[in-house]
């Protein structure tokens, strides 16, 4: 009973859809052709990488303004000459009026326009003195031709030329090669501290994958912070800020490092290490980077990012997340607070100009307290290492002098809060971490010693009973 009406209804719907589709397709094709011709004719309308909605916000401080990559022509100031009377003395004073938006190119050069307007104002002043009122005709403005507009646009665009001889240095600064080297060293220390036999192939692959992931994270971080890095003396010479490479080139370099790095960690090492590498890239680029302009919580998020590489080294060796891996991550987590807080203390003006909400800028008292608290915490973590069977009891003793020294410098930084104490604490942190990891490696508990508590008495050698 309902078969016939349903078939008619479906036929009508299909006919309407077919009619609308056949009517709109030529229009869309015509619109696409006209759009292509427009882009080919006007270079200023070319689609660039920054026109994507998500990426556009990274380059525009005010969301209501448009995105332009060409230079705005500098307008010549219009100088008018007026006369002021001071009793019997007549003086000529130059005034620079408010510059109105430039609509089109003028036929006469700016010098002629200035001369004409100066003459006009002088005539009007003399007419006021004589009492004669006459109308002065405004200067004529000629409409800009297509050829003149095209020439003006060509002058405003600056061609970006990449010097291939400088690319290795540019890539090194884009990847923050020193920071990447520190990340690889901490990951290698985590691998070396794991209670497993040393495998050179896995060690090399894990270190390479960790380094590539760090290069990708640092490159994306610099891409996002270009408008803010240009306001800071510390970061104004970075490659994207100086225009040595384009933003698209930087993002392509990040993808060329990040994708193989995570794939290498996942496929050649183990999936857990690859997951930690991808998580670290996400935390650094999507959490730590935007938080720097929103809250002081960015320091704690950045400390978590720095604590993950030694955990990656441990998981690359063992394939599991053990208490020893978390202990090594705790060392890096606590070490970063005296290191970074002392560094940011002497860069407060720079961070303030860049708009970054660091503890040293917004909460200076907390900045000093947190640095002292975590410096003392390093000694406590050293005492926890033998409890977790990661090192022997010699490690807390031999690491006590360097832990006490960094705690003393952090205490002096907390009391004084000057540049000299912050600088000494920062330079101490540079050698404290390698020394601490080296002492932990020398006091590492051997695999046989770590397995003895879990083995039965019958399984122990006769000389150890």
């Amino acid at each position: 009973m309902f078969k016939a009406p349903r078939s008619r209804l479906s036929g009508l719907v299909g006919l309407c859809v077919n009619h609308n589709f056949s009517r709109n397709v030529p229009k869309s094709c015509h619109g696409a052709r006209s759009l292509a011709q427009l882009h080919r004719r006007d270079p200023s309308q070319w689609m660039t990488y920054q026109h994507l909605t998500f990426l556009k916000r990274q380059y525009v401080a005010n969301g209501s303004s448009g995105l332009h990559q060409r230079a705005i022509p500098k307008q010549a100031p219009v100088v008018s000459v007026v006369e002021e009377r001071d009793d019997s003395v007549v003086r000529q004073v130059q005034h620079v009026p408010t510059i109105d938006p430039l609509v089109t190119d003028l036929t006469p050069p700016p010098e002629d326009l200035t001369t004409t307007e100066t003459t006009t104002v002088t005539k009007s002043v003399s007419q006021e003195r004589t009492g004669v009122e006459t109308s002065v005709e405004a200067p004529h403005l000629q409409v800009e031709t297509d050829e003149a507009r095209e020439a003006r646009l060509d002058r405003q665009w600056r061609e970006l030329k990449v010097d291939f001889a400088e690319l290795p240095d540019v890539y090194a600064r884009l990847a923050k090669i020193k920071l990447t080297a520190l990340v690889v060293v901490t990951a290698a220390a985590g691998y070396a501290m794991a209670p497993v036999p040393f495998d050179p192939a896995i060690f090399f692959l894990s270190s390479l994958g960790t380094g590539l992931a760090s290069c990708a994270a640092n490159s994306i971080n610099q891409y996002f912070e270009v408008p803010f890095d240009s306001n800071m003396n510390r970061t104004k010479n970075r490659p994207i800020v100086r225009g040595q490479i384009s933003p698209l080139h930087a993002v392509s370099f990040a993808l060329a490092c990040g994708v193989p790095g995570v794939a290498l960690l996942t496929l050649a090492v183990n999936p857990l290490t690859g997951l930690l590498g991808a998580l670290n890239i996400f935390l650094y680029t999507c959490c730590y980077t935007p938080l720097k302009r929103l809250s002081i919580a960015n320091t704690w998020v950045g400390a978590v990012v720095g604590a993950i590489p030694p955990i990656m080294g441990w998981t690359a060796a063992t394939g599991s997340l053990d208490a020893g891996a978390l202990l090594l991550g705790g060392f890096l987590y606590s070490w970063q607070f005296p290191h970074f807080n002392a560094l940011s203390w002497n860069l407060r003006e720079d961070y303030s100009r860049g708009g970054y909400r660091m503890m040293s800028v917004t909460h200076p008292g907390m900045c000093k307290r947190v640095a002292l608290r975590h410096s003392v915490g390093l000694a406590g973590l050293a005492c926890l290492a033998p409890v977790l069977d990661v090192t022997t009891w010699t490690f807390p003793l031999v690491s006590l002098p360097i832990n006490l020294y960094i705690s003393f410098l952090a205490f002096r930084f907390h009391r004084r809060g000057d540049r000299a104490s912050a600088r000494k604490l920062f330079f101490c942190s540079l050698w404290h971490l390698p020394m601490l990891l080296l002492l932990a490696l020398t006091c590492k508990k051997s695999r046989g010693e770590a397995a003895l508590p879990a083995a039965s008495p019958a399984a122990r050698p006769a000389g150890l009973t």
Side-chain angles (χ1 to χ4, degrees), residues 321-386:
L321 196 61
D322 304 324
L326 298 179
L327 176 66
L328 293 177
F331 278 124
L332 267 295
Y333 180 84
S334 295
W335 171 83
Q336 287 179 88
F337 287 96
H339 171 76
F340 181 75
N341 288 11
L343 171 66
S344 63
W345 187 264
N346 290 336
L347 298 174
R348 286 176 293 175
E349 295 82 3
D350 243 10
Y351 282 122
S352 180
R353 282 194 298 267
Y356 294 121
R357 298 184 63 85
M358 299 298 176
M359 274 192 290
S360 59
V361 177
T362 59
H363 299 75
M366 181 185 295
C367 177
K368 296 182 290 185
R369 289 195 304 269
V370 171
L372 176 60
R373 186 183 308 143
H374 284 273
S375 298
V376 176
L378 289 172
L381 290 174
C383 297
L384 192 61

Side-chain angles (χ1 to χ4, degrees), residues 402-451:
I402 62 173
N403 289 331
L404 288 179
Y405 184 67
I406 195 173
S407 300
F408 166 73
L409 293 180
F411 176 75
R412 191 165 64 175
F413 169 63
H414 176 264
R415 291 293 300 271
R416 298 181 180 179
D418 55 355
R419 290 181 175 270
S421 59
R423 190 180 301 110
K424 289 183 179 180
L425 178 60
F426 170 72
F427 283 111
C428 174
S429 66
L430 293 180
W431 59 261
H432 177 272
L433 179 64
M435 184 65 67
L436 185 67
L437 295 177
L438 183 61
L439 292 175
L441 185 60
T442 56
C443 299
K444 170 188 173 182
K445 185 171 289 188
S446 63
R447 290 187 297 114
E449 294 176 354

Side-chain angles (χ1 to χ4, degrees), residues 233-415:
N233 294 328
R234 176 171 169 260
T235 57
K236 65 182 180 181
N237 290 324
R238 286 179 173 176
I240 312 180
V241 178
R242 295 183 58 187
Q244 292 179 299
I245 58 173
S246 65
L248 177 59
H249 192 164
V251 174
S252 302
F253 172 75
L255 292 176
C257 293
V259 174
V262 174
L264 192 65
L265 293 173
T266 305
L267 302 177
V269 183
N270 55 61
L272 178 58
T273 307
L275 177 62
L276 290 175
L279 176 64
N280 216 19
I281 296 176
F282 172 78
L283 288 177
Y284 191 72
T285 58
C286 299
C287 297
Y288 170 70
T289 299
L291 273 178
K292 290 168 68 175
R293 299 182 57 80
L294 299 177
S295 171
I296 61 173
N298 68 84
T299 307
W300 282 268
V301 177
V304 173
V305 173
I308 290 180
I311 300 178
M312 293 173 60
W314 184 286
T315 57
T318 62
S320 60
L321 196 61
D322 304 324
L326 298 179
L327 176 66
L328 293 177
F331 278 124
L332 267 295
Y333 180 84
S334 295
W335 171 83
Q336 287 179 88
F337 287 96
H339 171 76
F340 181 75
N341 288 11
L343 171 66
S344 63
W345 187 264
N346 290 336
L347 298 174
R348 286 176 293 175
E349 295 82 3
D350 243 10
Y351 282 122
S352 180
R353 282 194 298 267
Y356 294 121
R357 298 184 63 85
M358 299 298 176
M359 274 192 290
S360 59
V361 177
T362 59
H363 299 75
M366 181 185 295
C367 177
K368 296 182 290 185
R369 289 195 304 269
V370 171
L372 176 60
R373 186 183 308 143
H374 284 273
S375 298
V376 176
L378 289 172
L381 290 174
C383 297
L384 192 61
V387 177
L388 298 176
D389 288 332
V390 178
T391 64
T392 61
W393 284 99
T394 310
F395 175 66
L397 299 177
V398 297
S399 62
L400 184 61
I402 62 173
N403 289 331
L404 288 179
Y405 184 67
I406 195 173
S407 300
F408 166 73
L409 293 180
F411 176 75
R412 191 165 64 175
F413 169 63
H414 176 264
R415 291 293 300 271

Side-chain angles (χ1 to χ4, degrees), residues 23-39:
R23 184 177 59 184
N24 293 330
V25 165
K27 293 182 180 180
S28 62
C29 295
H30 177 70
R33 287 196 300 270
S34 61
L35 183 62
Q37 293 176 0
L38 174 64
H39 287 317

Side-chain angles (χ1 to χ4, degrees), residues 35-110:
L35 183 62
Q37 293 176 0
L38 174 64
H39 287 317
R40 189 180 301 113
R41 184 171 60 253
D42 189 358
S44 66
Q45 301 295 329
W46 285 355
M47 183 64 66
T48 60
Y49 190 75
Q50 292 80 17
H51 280 77
L52 299 178
T53 305
F54 171 72
L55 300 175
K56 178 179 178 179
R57 292 197 298 268
Q58 310 300 330
Y59 283 86
V60 182
N62 186 6
S64 60
S65 61
L67 177 66
H68 301 282
Q69 283 190 320
R70 63 175 185 268
I72 300 177
K74 185 177 180 181
Q75 300 177 354
V78 181
V79 181
S80 60
V81 181
V82 297
E83 294 183 358
E84 290 186 356
R85 287 187 175 273
D86 185 7
D87 296 337
S88 60
V89 180
V90 179
R91 297 181 302 169
Q92 289 187 347
V93 183
Q94 291 184 349
H95 293 280
V96 180
T98 303
I99 301 176
D100 296 331
L102 184 61
V103 180
T104 55
D105 285 349
L106 304 179
T107 302

